[in-house]
Each structure stands twice: as structure tokens, then as C-alpha cells.
Amino acid sequence: MSTLALSSARFPQRFLPVIATFAVFVVTFGAGSVRYENFASGQVVANLFVDNAFLIVLAVGMTFVILTGGIDLSVGAVAALSTMIAAATLNAGWPPLLSIITVLGSGATLGLLMGLVIHHFEVQPFIVTLAGMFLARGLCFLISVESVSITEPAFREFASGAITLPGDITLTYSVVIALAVVLAALYVLHLTRFGRTVYAVGGSESSARLMGLATSRAKVGVYVVSGFCSALGGLIFSLYMLSGYGLHAVGMELDVIAAVVIGGTLLAGGTGYLVGSVVGVLVLGTVQSLISFEGTLSSWWTKIVIGALLLAFIVLQRLIVRRQA
Amino acid sequence: MTRGRLLWPLVALGALIVLNIAVEPSFVELRIQDGHLFGSMVDILRNGAPTLLIAVGMTLVIATRGIDLSVGAVAAIAGAIACTYISGGGNAATAVLLALSVCVLLGLWNGFLVSVLGIQPIIATLVLMTAGRGGAMLLTEGQIVTVKDPLYRQIGSGFLVLPIAILISLAVLTAVALITRRTALGMLIEAVGINPKAGELAGVRSRTIIWTVYVFAGLCAGVAGLMISSNVNAADANNAGLWIEMDAILAVVIGGTSLAGGRYSLAGTMLGALVIQTLTTTVYTIGVPTNVTLIFKAVVVIAVCLLQSPRTTRMLRARRKTAVPTSRSQEVAAG
């Protein structure tokens, strides 16, 4: 994509989708604060992060994958598998640290396997990650068909721990983890060779290869990143739910993809920003809190609104791409 | 080439059937009772009918380089409309017509996004996939609407020697095969999928063709949705047709049609749908917990896809060193 070459000349346009996402966030949040008395409080903003910390982490991983022009449908299932492995190992008496390492390791390994199949056997990412999704969900049920609650005291203590910010705003540790992941990912994506290669592969894989970039490492690497993020997202989710269950996070991959697209990342690859994805998650979170504040609206309105937002953003992207062409 | 592509799914299907016979010898038994054909294999056909029908529509969409993720949601909407209408005192025939016309409209909508606005199919249909189920919930007000209508019941669980559901699916499959293979339509669809620009230069009206396949996929999804809801006499907006889009896409891919568009094989799609349904039934027969079916599905999908992958084909064809994996050019050079 020509964005790199045009970076200085088209500075505002390059950021247009992200700015639009941010504008939507401000507008939806503004609408909430006008309509409901207690909406515009620091705690509601903080809750957006608390309730969606896992989604932010998943969206970070998905952004890497989509930037290369791929897609990862397995994120929800891998997150569910992580909650299950965490619950099972903790209840079996493993020390929490070992259990966490196991979870993260298995997520990354699953990602690596999918990446290798996608790259070396040239099978479409859609199909491979779909199989990954089935595999991960199946493995959950192999561990247990029932929901397993986590009783490990240290883990529960960490889950209920809160950080109090000035103004009586409380955050959980998951938010800190999520923000750390975002910062680390920003560094990797924008300031390392791997990150630049990810953008290059998404722009044009053959050009990137001809330029001598390590395209295979980037193509496989993004799935490892996504697998790792899914596992971490699953861990955060298990902190949130305090249980492991094979039916956790069903359909979450769609929410994540929606957040990334609303955040301005093109599914064709090569164009997009991590910050956009994070704001995309916040938009989804705001819609959800708006609907729960309203009270009379049923939860399925969330889906309809997300669909409408998704539509608005893809049409907007389409217009931008058309103008550039 | 086609025979080669169908080899592995055939092997998979054969292996599954042999496994079934080994575990439960009565698997192949067929008996006629009250003029109805019964048996495990008939059950597989009946349960696989909605997937097969959706997969036929999906095959054409995929052949144009597209994909339709919304079919499950459209199926749920069709069931919701029909059941709400019938439970409100309407008659079954009108209900079916009403449901199917809405599905055609939804197909038109998908086709509009893809062919006129030029939005990537996966994301264009994701909109309806997300919003559609919400819409179906809205129609049924979050309840499971149950109906008692003898005529409506026929679609999903009626018999004309064979179950009516499978007869509908097979009729659609045959009709599509005849229409696309006996006329130039099939070639035009493939032309759009292989190279839209070249197709257009050669005078193919790609926009109309793309639009048509999405409408057709919507219609197939609608009929499948009616089968699903009529089979249980109820519309469940949350769970009807859940993940059926994935099963249908898998059926198409197992059948050897590439997601990159172009050549498609309807026979392959039928085989693919049979493999998936037989697999599900086999897992029941062996007595593995239902949810673990997913692992088997994953294994079969990965195995078939790996065996069909360009790399494996190349390795099987000639055991030579592959220098740079530039798939397209090498594939052309090799075959």
C-alpha cells in the first residue's frame, strides 16, 4: 500500500479512520452522558476498560493478523481453552505461575501450528483458524464438559484486587495488564523490524519478499502473537469470571474482528493502527453500557447496533480507499 | 484434476463408513416402514440436508471469490418469520413465501454491498451475520416460538419414501448442476472468480453474476432455515443454524473448491457435506461426548486441506526441492 510513501503528504487522511472511530466513541459516550445522569463519571470510563480488558488484548493480537491480510477465527476458542486450562491446572494444585506459563505457552503453540500450516502449506487462514477454533473448543470439552470454578486463593485474590485512582475510581489488575500489552504491541509494531515487516507483508507480500524482508517469519509470527494474546485474553477473562468453561467467549472472534474493523484496519491488510482497535473495543463497550443503562432495551439490540456500526465503517473505509485510488 | 481433488474426501467418507460398520453393523441396514425409508444412512442424509443446501449456495458464492458468513443468521431469520407468522394464525404456505422473500431481500442486500459498493465479501456479510441474529431475536422477542402446523412440519420431517428435506436439497443441487453446467453460466461464474478484470474485458457481466449468487445463497439459507425450524416445530433465534455457515464453508473446501475462487465442484460439495454429517453421526455412534466432535472435525478438516494443499500436491507429483513458494506461478507451471 502506498501509505508509507505518502506519509507526510497525506498525514491527516491516513489517520482519518482512527479519527472517525474516536469521533464515534466521543459521540456515543456524549449521547450517554446527556441522557443518563451518572454516565459521564470516571468510573463508567474505567469500567469500559475493566469489562473489556480481555477484548482489548484479543484485539491487539487480531490487529497483527489482519495487518498481514490474514484472519484468525480461533481467538474466542483459544481464550476459552485458556480459561479451562487455567481452571483445571489451578484446581489440580499447580502453582499459579506455572499454570499461567502453561496457558500462555499452549496459546502461542497453537498459534505457531496454525501459522506454520497457513504459511508452509498455503492453506487459507480462514480455514486453518476455523479448524483451530473447532480444535480448541473440542479440547475444552475434553478437559471438562462442565464449568469449572477456580478456587485457588492467590488467583482469586489477584482477581479481586483493585487499584484506586484519585477520584475514587477503581481499576482491576487486568486493565494494567491489557494496557501493558497495548504498549508492548505498539513498540513491536512500529519500532521493530518484525512490525514493519508485518505492514509490508500486508501491503504486498511479493514486494516485501523481493525487498529481502523476512516475510515467512512475519506471516507465521503474527499467528503466534495472536495465539499468545488470545491465551492472555483468556486468562484475563478467567480472572473476570473466576471459572473455566468450554462455552466461554462463544462468538467473541466476531466482536474482536468488528472492533478491529471499526478501528479502521483494512481487512485486505497493510493499513491500520493498534490504537484504532483499542478505540474500536471502547466503542463496542460504550454501546453495551448504553444499552444496559437504558434498561428497557433487550440485549440483542447490542448485536444490531454493532452490525450497523460495522456497516457504517466499512462504507467509510470504502470511500476513503476509492478516493485514494 | 477434478478426480484428483475428489480423491481425499472420498477416502475420508469411505473410511468413516467402514468405521461405522465396524462399530455398528446395522449401520447399512435400510428398512421400509409405512412407505418410509428408515436407517442410519437415511438419518445422515436428513440431518445433512440443510448443510448441503446452504453449501450448494455457498459453492457458487465461493466460486466468484466471495464468501457468505451470514447464511446461519439468514436461516434463523427465515425460521423466525415463518414461525411467528404461523403462530399468529397465518397459513403455512404464505408463511414460507413471506420468509423466503425476506431471505431474497437479505441476499440482495449482501450482493449490493459486495458487487456495487465493492466491499470485501467476508466483512460485508459479517454485518448481517452480527446484526441478523439480533433481528431474529427481535422478531421472536427473545422467545422460542413453537408452532403446530401439519403442512409446515412436512418441510423438515415429512417423507415421500425419502425425507422431503433431502429431496429438496438434492433437487436444488441437481437443478444448479444442470443450469450452471449445461449453459455457459457456470463458466461465467468461474471467469468472475478466476480473474474479475479479465472476465469483464471479455464481456462477462460480473456485477450481475455476483449479485445473483448472493441472492441464491440467501434463498438456499432461507429454505434450510425453514427445514431446521420445521424439524423441531419451533424457531430458536439464538441457536437455529448456529455455525452452519462454518459447516457449509468446510463442506465446500473439503469438496475441493478453493476459497480463492474460480473452479468449483458441486459433486465435491455434496461429498464434503456428507463427510461432515457422517463424521458427526459417527462420533455419536462411537459414544464420544457430543462436544468433543469438534476435535474430530478439526482433524478431518486439517487432514483433507493438507492433502489438497498446493505444497502436498507438488511434493506428491515430483519430489523436488521447492525453491521459492510462489504458489500461483508454480501451480500453473506444474499443472
Side-chain angles (χ1 to χ4, degrees), chain A residues 120-122 124 126-127 130-131 134-135 137-138 141 209 254 261 267-268 300-301 303 307 311 314 318 322, chain B residues 109 117-118 120 123 126-127 130 137-138 142 246 250 253 259-260 291 294-295 298 306 309-311 314 326-327:
Chain A
H120 290 287
F121 287 89
E122 296 158 36
Q124 284 102 342
F126 188 90
I127 291 296
L130 182 58
F134 286 153
L135 186 69
R137 286 242 181 255
F141 293 114
R209 194 173 45 237
L254 299 178
V261 171
L267 274 174
W300 51 80
W301 274 102
K303 286 184 171 182
L311 177 70
I314 53 179
R318 196 62 217 154
R322 206 169 261 182
Chain B
W109 164 255
L117 295 189
Q120 271 179 319
I123 195 78
L126 182 62
V127 172
T130 326
M137 292 290 277
L138 205 61
M246 301 303 172
L250 287 182
V253 171
L259 278 182
N291 293 320
L294 292 169
I295 295 185
L306 285 186
S309 76
R311 175 127 177 189
R314 278 203 302 273
T326 43
S327 58

Side-chain angles (χ1 to χ4, degrees), chain A residues 173-217:
Chain A
Y173 291 119
S174 345
V175 179
V176 181
I177 301 175
L179 292 181
V181 168
V182 172
L183 287 180
L186 276 174
Y187 171 77
V188 170
L189 200 53
H190 294 289
L191 295 172
T192 64
R193 191 173 292 185
F194 174 75
R196 301 313 306 169
T197 313
V198 166
Y199 273 101
V201 168
S204 164
E205 195 188 337
S206 45
S207 310
R209 194 173 45 237
L210 290 173
M211 279 164 69
L213 297 178
T215 51
S216 19
R217 204 184 305 158

Side-chain angles (χ1 to χ4, degrees), chain A residues 111-271:
Chain A
L112 176 68
L113 288 177
M114 290 190 287
L116 288 175
V117 172
I118 290 167
H119 183 67
H120 290 287
F121 287 89
E122 296 158 36
V123 184
Q124 284 102 342
F126 188 90
I127 291 296
V128 176
T129 56
L130 182 58
M133 164 176 135
F134 286 153
L135 186 69
R137 286 242 181 255
L139 286 174
C140 289
F141 293 114
L142 204 61
I143 297 175
S144 166
V145 194
E146 307 280 319
S147 168
V148 182
S149 62
I150 298 173
T151 47
E152 218 279 333
F155 196 80
R156 290 187 84 102
E157 197 179 321
F158 187 74
S160 56
I163 306 162
T164 315
L165 296 181
D168 259 354
I169 300 166
T170 50
L171 286 176
T172 52
Y173 291 119
S174 345
V175 179
V176 181
I177 301 175
L179 292 181
V181 168
V182 172
L183 287 180
L186 276 174
Y187 171 77
V188 170
L189 200 53
H190 294 289
L191 295 172
T192 64
R193 191 173 292 185
F194 174 75
R196 301 313 306 169
T197 313
V198 166
Y199 273 101
V201 168
S204 164
E205 195 188 337
S206 45
S207 310
R209 194 173 45 237
L210 290 173
M211 279 164 69
L213 297 178
T215 51
S216 19
R217 204 184 305 158
K219 265 183 84 185
V220 178
V222 289
Y223 291 95
V224 179
V225 170
S226 177
F228 179 84
C229 285
S230 311
L232 189 58
L235 270 180
I236 295 179
F237 197 67
S238 64
L239 281 175
Y240 190 72
M241 306 292 282
L242 284 174
S243 68
Y245 189 26
L247 289 178
H248 273 334
V250 167
M252 192 175 281
E253 50 281 340
L254 299 178
D255 286 346
V256 176
I257 295 173
V260 173
V261 171
I262 290 175
T265 302
L266 282 189
L267 274 174
T271 315

Side-chain angles (χ1 to χ4, degrees), chain A residues 138, chain B residues 279-281 283-284 288-298:
Chain B
L279 181 69
T280 314
T281 314
V283 177
Y284 283 124
V288 180
T290 340
N291 293 320
V292 187
T293 321
L294 292 169
I295 295 185
F296 291 85
K297 224 182 223 172

Side-chain angles (χ1 to χ4, degrees), chain B residues 200-256:
Chain B
E200 205 141 315
L201 289 175
V204 179
R205 288 195 184 175
S206 49
R207 180 175 289 188
T208 320
I209 287 181
I210 293 177
W211 209 331
T212 317
V213 293
Y214 281 95
V215 173
F216 181 67
L219 189 61
C220 285
V223 178
L226 294 180
M227 284 177 189
I228 295 169
S229 87
S230 127
N231 194 24
V232 293
N233 287 318
D236 180 353
N238 252 338
N239 297 313
L242 195 63
W243 304 129
I244 204 167
E245 57 278 339
M246 301 303 172
D247 276 352
I249 294 169
L250 287 182
V252 175
V253 171
I254 291 178

Side-chain angles (χ1 to χ4, degrees), chain B:
Chain B
M1 188 64 200
T2 314
R3 195 174 300 162
R5 279 196 295 187
L6 292 188
L7 177 67
W8 293 113
L10 261 177
V11 169
L13 185 60
L16 283 173
I17 291 178
V18 168
L19 180 66
N20 266 300
I21 297 173
V23 175
E24 184 69 60
S26 69
F27 180 75
V28 279
E29 266 173 32
L30 291 175
R31 61 200 160 78
I32 291 185
Q33 197 177 335
D34 311 328
H36 300 166
L37 202 56
F38 283 103
S40 303
M41 296 209 286
V42 179
D43 280 345
I44 290 179
L45 286 177
R46 193 172 69 123
N47 295 329
T51 315
L52 173 59
L53 189 57
I54 288 182
V56 170
M58 190 72 80
T59 310
L60 297 186
V61 172
I62 288 179
T64 63
R65 265 195 202 179
I67 200 154
D68 190 347
L69 294 181
S70 70
V71 286
V74 172
I77 291 176
I81 291 177
C83 290
T84 331
Y85 187 78
I86 293 175
S87 71
N91 79 15
T94 328
V96 168
L97 272 181
L98 191 68
L100 293 185
S101 9
V102 172
C103 292
V104 167
L105 283 180
L106 294 174
L108 277 171
W109 164 255
N110 278 335
F112 171 77
L113 291 182
V114 175
S115 70
V116 180
L117 295 189
I119 295 166
Q120 271 179 319
I122 186 172
I123 195 78
T125 53
L126 182 62
V127 172
L128 195 53
M129 183 188 191
T130 326
R133 239 170 237 288
M137 292 290 277
L138 205 61
L139 277 169
T140 59
E141 288 164 351
Q143 308 291 317
I144 294 179
V145 182
T146 50
V147 290
K148 262 189 183 166
D149 187 300
L151 186 64
Y152 186 64
R153 213 186 130 73
Q154 291 298 316
I155 308 174
S157 39
F159 272 90
L160 275 175
V161 183
L162 279 171
I164 289 179
I166 191 61
L167 292 178
I168 297 177
S169 295
L170 288 178
V172 172
L173 179 73
T174 321
V176 171
L178 283 177
I179 292 171
T180 58
R181 292 307 188 197
R182 293 286 162 194
T183 69
L185 188 61
M187 217 167 64
L188 297 181
I189 290 175
E190 290 182 345
V192 172
I194 291 166
N195 188 336
K197 209 162 260 175
E200 205 141 315
L201 289 175
V204 179
R205 288 195 184 175
S206 49
R207 180 175 289 188
T208 320
I209 287 181
I210 293 177
W211 209 331
T212 317
V213 293
Y214 281 95
V215 173
F216 181 67
L219 189 61
C220 285
V223 178
L226 294 180
M227 284 177 189
I228 295 169
S229 87
S230 127
N231 194 24
V232 293
N233 287 318
D236 180 353
N238 252 338
N239 297 313
L242 195 63
W243 304 129
I244 204 167
E245 57 278 339
M246 301 303 172
D247 276 352
I249 294 169
L250 287 182
V252 175
V253 171
I254 291 178
T257 303
S258 158
L259 278 182
R263 286 189 145 194
Y264 66 91
S265 159
L266 287 168
T269 297
M270 191 178 74
L271 263 180
L274 284 178
V275 167
I276 288 178
Q277 192 57 46
T278 315
L279 181 69
T280 314
T281 314
T282 310
V283 177
Y284 283 124
T285 327
I286 304 178
V288 180
T290 340
N291 293 320
V292 187
T293 321
L294 292 169
I295 295 185
F296 291 85
K297 224 182 223 172
V299 170
V300 170
V301 171
I302 282 296
V304 172
C305 285
L306 285 186
L307 288 169
Q308 284 175 336
S309 76
R311 175 127 177 189
T312 321
T313 318
R314 278 203 302 273
M315 280 195 324
L316 289 177
R317 209 165 283 166
R319 290 192 134 275
R320 62 190 160 124
K321 264 193 178 172
T322 45
V324 193
T326 43
S327 58
R328 279 278 157 85
S329 56
Q330 283 199 358
E331 216 179 328
V332 172

Side-chain angles (χ1 to χ4, degrees), chain A residues 12-66:
Chain A
Q13 193 157 48
R14 214 156 54 99
F15 290 111
L16 200 56
V18 179
I19 294 169
T21 316
F22 197 73
V24 167
F25 173 61
V26 171
V27 168
T28 39
F29 202 85
S33 9
V34 172
R35 202 172 153 84
Y36 314 106
E37 248 171 65
N38 305 322
F39 200 82
S41 70
Q43 189 57 49
V44 173
V45 180
N47 281 349
L48 281 183
F49 284 94
V50 172
D51 295 338
N52 296 299
F54 54 92
L55 215 53
I56 292 179
V57 176
L58 293 183
V60 165
M62 185 68 87
T63 311
F64 274 85
V65 174
I66 291 184

